[in-house]
Amino acid sequence: MSLLSRFKTTRIGSSISYFIQPRKVRFEWQDTPVDWIPDQPFASYFVNEINNILPAGELWFCRLYNKVLPQITDEKLKHDVQAFIRQEAMHAQAHNSANKEYLSERQIDIQRNLDIMHFLFNKLLADQPFGLKIPKIMAHQWDLFRLGIIATVEHMTCVLGKYALYNTEWERLGADPNMLDLVKWHGAEEIEHRSVAFDLYRHLGGGYIARYYLSVVVIIGVIGLWVDGAAHLLSQDSRFKQYKPAVYKPWIWKEWLRISQSDNRLLPNPLWLVSQQLGYLMPWYDPVHEGSTDDALHYLNHSQAAKRATLKVA
C-alpha cells in the first residue's frame, strides 16, 4: 500500500456524534438604540463592530467549504460541513440585517469597514488572490492554508461565543433584547458547530505545527480589525471626538482594557482573549471541550429570533 493510500484510509473524520441543526432567524431592529447597552456607548459600538466584520468572512467560509466538499470522504463530516455552511450563511444574513436596518438607518457610516473586509476575503484570500492563478501544484496547499485560518478563527469565535452566551451583565443593565439575542444566538451556534472546522482541516491534511503561525496571523488580524473598525464607529460619535479614536492610538486599547476589568466586565479582556489561544496550540487540543453543547442548544431552543422566523414561515 502506498503512503498516499495509507493516509487516505486513516483520515480523521467527524469527532461529534450529534447532528448540527441549521436554523432560520429573523431580527427586528426598529427599536434598537445605538447604545444598545444603556449608558455604555463604548461597549455598544465595540460589539456592534462585529456586525461589520463577520458577513464577508462567513460567506467566504461558505464558498471555500463548498469548494472542498467533494474531497471529504467521511459521510458524517460531510453532513457536518453542509450544516456548518447553512449556519454560517444565516449568520452572515443576520449580521447584514443589523448593518443595513440598524446601523445604516441610524446614519452611522459603515462602508469603510465593509470595504476592508471585502478586500480581505474577496481579494487577498480569494481562490485567485489579486486575480493571480495559483499553480496547480500549490492549489491544495493554498486551500489548506485558508482552511487552517478558518479552523483557527473558529476556535476564537467559539471562545467569544462562550463569553456571549454566559454573559449576564448585558441583560442585567437592560440591554436591547434584539441585539442581545443576536450575539447569544450566534455564540450558541458557534459552540454547537465548534468541532467542524478543526475536523475538516485535519481531514484534508492540516498539520499540528501550522497552528502556531496560523494563531499569530489570526490573533493579530482579528483583534486588529476589531479595534480598527470600532475606532471608525466611535470617531463618528461626538461623545468620543476629543479622543480621535484610531487603532494606532493608545486610548482605545486602554479603554477596552479598562472596561473589561471593571466590575461589569462588559467586554472580554483582550489579554484573556489572547490567552485562550494557548489551548489551541496543545497537541491534545479538542474543540469539544470548549463550551457545553447542552447549554448552547438550550439557548437556541428559546431564541426569540428563531421563534419569530418559525412563526413567519407558519
Side-chain angles (χ1 to χ4, degrees):
M1 181 185 292
S2 70
L3 182 61
L4 181 59
S5 299
R6 191 179 302 116
F7 169 75
K8 286 183 177 179
T9 58
T10 58
R11 277 183 169 183
I12 297 169
S14 173
S15 64
I16 57 175
S17 58
Y18 61 89
F19 285 85
I20 297 164
Q21 178 62 51
R23 301 167 187 84
K24 290 181 184 262
V25 290
R26 183 166 174 261
F27 294 93
E28 296 178 348
W29 300 109
Q30 60 268 22
D31 298 324
T32 302
V34 172
D35 294 355
W36 66 272
I37 307 173
D39 304 316
Q40 297 292 336
F42 185 95
S44 296
Y45 278 119
F46 214 80
V47 177
N48 273 336
E49 169 55 17
I50 292 175
N51 292 308
N52 295 180
I53 288 177
L54 292 177
E58 287 165 329
L59 293 176
W60 175 72
F61 290 4
C62 295
R63 292 193 299 273
L64 182 54
Y65 275 21
N66 273 315
K67 178 185 178 185
V68 302
L69 201 60
Q71 302 174 38
I72 302 173
T73 58
D74 181 88
E75 287 303 315
K76 176 60 168 59
L77 179 57
K78 183 174 287 188
H79 180 279
D80 293 346
V81 170
Q82 290 169 326
F84 177 97
I85 290 169
R86 292 174 64 189
Q87 284 194 343
E88 290 295 313
M90 183 54 64
H91 294 173
Q93 182 176 319
H95 289 287
N96 268 329
S97 77
N99 286 332
K100 295 175 182 177
E101 301 166 26
Y102 167 49
L103 295 173
S104 293
E105 283 292 316
R106 283 149 185 77
Q107 286 71 56
I108 298 173
D109 173 31
I110 61 173
Q111 193 57 50
R112 173 259 191 198
N113 292 358
L114 298 181
D115 288 344
I116 290 174
M117 303 311 297
H118 176 83
F119 170 81
L120 176 62
F121 292 109
N122 295 296
K123 299 292 184 183
L124 180 61
L125 292 172
D127 290 344
Q128 297 184 9
F130 301 108
L132 302 174
K133 188 173 182 179
I134 299 292
K136 191 172 182 179
I137 195 172
M138 294 295 296
H140 179 68
Q141 288 304 314
W142 176 237
D143 286 346
L144 201 58
F145 170 72
R146 295 184 296 163
L147 290 170
I149 287 178
I150 296 175
T152 311
V153 167
E154 282 294 302
H155 170 71
M156 184 173 284
T157 56
C158 179
V159 168
L160 288 170
K162 288 191 299 180
Y163 177 85
L165 183 62
Y166 297 116
N167 186 302
T168 59
E169 289 302 307
W170 295 335
E171 191 170 12
R172 187 183 69 80
L173 293 176
D176 174 75
N178 293 290
M179 186 59 70
L180 195 62
D181 195 20
L182 173 62
V183 295
K184 286 181 177 288
W185 159 77
H186 190 162
E189 287 204 340
E190 290 298 325
I191 293 171
E192 183 187 21
H193 70 219
R194 63 194 180 279
S195 296
V196 178
F198 189 65
D199 287 347
L200 178 60
Y201 176 59
R202 293 193 300 169
H203 182 71
L204 294 183
Y208 168 65
I209 299 300
R211 289 190 231 164
Y212 284 86
Y213 68 76
L214 288 169
S215 292
V216 173
V217 170
V218 167
I219 289 171
I220 293 174
V222 170
I223 293 180
L225 288 167
W226 194 359
V227 173
D228 176 69
H232 178 65
L233 300 183
L234 289 162
S235 67
Q236 299 175 57
D237 192 309
S238 60
R239 291 172 291 183
F240 299 102
K241 288 286 186 183
Q242 60 179 312
Y243 302 109
K244 298 180 179 178
V247 67
Y248 54 84
K249 291 186 176 181
W251 173 81
I252 193 169
W253 297 91
K254 289 179 180 178
E255 190 67 2
W256 180 10
L257 188 61
R258 183 189 70 79
I259 291 175
S260 70
Q261 293 176 330
S262 66
D263 291 339
N264 292 333
R265 297 185 179 180
L266 297 176
L267 295 172
N269 189 302
L271 301 178
W272 170 82
L273 193 57
V274 172
S275 73
Q276 293 301 295
Q277 199 64 27
L278 295 177
Y280 183 73
L281 300 178
M282 298 297 106
W284 51 83
Y285 169 75
D286 187 342
V288 77
H289 300 306
E290 298 287 342
S292 164
T293 304
D294 289 340
D295 289 348
L297 293 178
H298 177 77
Y299 183 84
L300 292 169
N301 289 332
H302 294 84
S303 166
Q304 291 303 307
K307 289 181 179 179
R308 193 178 296 122
T310 302
L311 288 170
K312 184 180 179 183
V313 171

